[in-house]
Amino acid sequence: MDTLSDEINLLVTLNAGYLAPLKVMLYSVHANNPDEQIHLWLVHASLTATEVADVQNLTIAFGWQFSNEQVQTDFAGGVPLIKRYPKEMYFRLLSGQILPQSVKRVIYLDPDLLVINPLRSLWELDLNGHMLAAAVHRGVTNLVDSVNQLRLGTTTSYFNSGVLVIDLDQARAKIRLEDITAMIAEHQSELLLPDQDVLNFLYGSDIVEIPEEIWNYDTRKYLTYQTRSLNQHDIHWVMAHTVILHYCGTPKPWDANSDSKFTGLFLNYQQQLRRLIPKLSRPTVDEN
């Protein structure tokens, strides 16, 4: 295993539609990793200078490093578009080509999650030669794997793309935009979750599995986790051991009709963030 920097590189890729939940997610990272050195890499195609400054303002308050990586039009233009899905969803897979060569590893996080315990052990995870680490949302049985193997013609488990550890040197060597484009052109009618299907179809054999109940807990499936663990993984266990809560599906916890077991936790972090923001000084914004 290569020597890692003490500084944790976090990668986020999004458009303006997910900026509000992103800020709540970042606040949760800081609240539960207060002593970590963190470098946030914001990868996007279309955020305005003001929107970028809003994110940067938070990182300044947290004492983090911040890099704004706007994907150039010619690069973004080569990404195939699928109705209802933004091109930004592919940037996590293409991050090796987007980020500087000096960046060797990142943890990618979706904006619709909370980090409620320390991330350090995920950052230091031994990938055992694999390019990626990800979790599988299995349910009570392994039916999800079987259905997706049949649908995509794969033999590996079906990994969720919302939390990834990425070895960027391997990604630079193995992940190519033209492979992604060709896969989508050939299988577009079969794709349900395009970025996740691409991840599994092209790179599933190069992923090491991490436990979902720790690193990518599907907040819709509390009773499923309870059943699988023979009632050991109750809410007390989750708060003590789970690191990443993922608000998969809809409604999202910021939606008015959301009322799940984990909605209140998200709303509390959102409320704390709203109390913090008025106290922050804004950095200078260059709109040119």
Side-chain angles (χ1 to χ4, degrees), residues 127-134 156 159 165 170-171 174-175 199-200 202-209:
L127 294 177
N128 290 314
H130 292 80
M131 178 171 62
L132 300 148
T156 61
F159 295 95
V165 181
Q170 288 200 56
K174 297 176 180 178
I175 298 180
L199 171 74
N200 284 276
L202 292 177
Y203 312 112
S205 61
D206 215 351
I207 303 175
V208 63
E209 184 174 347

Side-chain angles (χ1 to χ4, degrees), residues 2 19 23 26-27 64 80 89 130 135 140 169 191-192 228 240 249 252 256 272 281:
D2 293 336
L19 269 178
K23 295 171 189 176
L26 296 177
Y27 179 80
W64 295 0
M89 69 181 176
H130 292 80
V140 176
D169 280 343
L191 303 183
L192 298 179
R228 276 192 352 209
K252 297 299 186 185
Q272 292 181 58
S281 59

Side-chain angles (χ1 to χ4, degrees), residues 16 27-28 39-40 52 58 64 94-96 104 120 125 129-130 143 199 204 213-214 232 239 243 251:
Y27 179 80
S28 74
H39 192 142
L40 180 69
V52 171
L58 280 182
W64 295 0
L94 298 167
S95 57
K104 302 300 185 183
R120 171 58 57 176
L125 177 73
H130 292 80
L143 183 61
L199 171 74
E213 62 271 21
I214 303 292
Q232 294 300 305
M239 295 307 297
V243 177

Side-chain angles (χ1 to χ4, degrees), residues 63-234:
W64 295 0
Q65 297 297 311
F66 175 77
S67 291
N68 171 37
E69 299 287 335
Q70 183 163 10
V71 176
Q72 298 305 307
T73 303
D74 56 347
F75 183 85
V79 177
L81 294 180
I82 295 177
K83 189 177 180 180
R84 295 190 300 112
Y85 293 95
K87 57 182 172 291
E88 286 82 2
M89 69 181 176
Y90 299 109
F91 293 170
R92 73 194 80 173
L93 290 178
L94 298 167
S95 57
Q97 300 177 43
I98 297 168
L99 299 183
Q101 293 280 333
S102 59
V103 186
K104 302 300 185 183
R105 174 182 285 204
V106 293
I107 297 174
Y108 167 82
L109 297 176
D110 267 355
D112 60 341
L113 53 80
L114 290 177
V115 174
I116 62 172
N117 277 303
L119 282 168
R120 171 58 57 176
S121 59
L122 183 62
W123 175 248
E124 295 179 345
L125 177 73
D126 189 345
L127 294 177
N128 290 314
H130 292 80
M131 178 171 62
L132 300 148
V136 177
H137 288 161
R138 285 205 164 84
V140 176
T141 68
N142 213 13
L143 183 61
V144 172
D145 274 354
S146 301
V147 169
N148 284 294
Q149 286 168 0
L150 181 63
R151 180 172 63 87
L152 295 173
T154 56
T155 58
T156 61
S157 294
Y158 187 74
F159 295 95
N160 183 273
S161 61
V163 177
L164 300 171
V165 181
I166 308 173
D167 178 330
L168 290 176
D169 280 343
Q170 288 200 56
R172 291 178 183 112
K174 297 176 180 178
I175 298 180
R176 301 188 306 164
L177 177 57
E178 52 265 38
D179 293 338
I180 295 173
T181 303
M183 184 270 181
I184 292 173
E186 184 175 351
H187 298 280
Q188 183 164 337
S189 63
E190 304 150 34
L191 303 183
L192 298 179
L193 297 169
D195 63 317
Q196 203 158 271
D197 286 349
V198 169
L199 171 74
N200 284 276
F201 184 86
L202 292 177
Y203 312 112
S205 61
D206 215 351
I207 303 175
V208 63
E209 184 174 347
I210 51 178
E212 61 172 309
E213 62 271 21
I214 303 292
W215 299 114
N216 196 335
Y217 185 105
D218 186 339
T219 58
R220 302 170 298 180
K221 304 294 180 61
Y222 176 74
L223 292 179
T224 297
Y225 292 117
Q226 275 274 66
T227 300
R228 276 192 352 209
S229 67
L230 302 179
N231 296 323
Q232 294 300 305
H233 293 178
D234 60 11

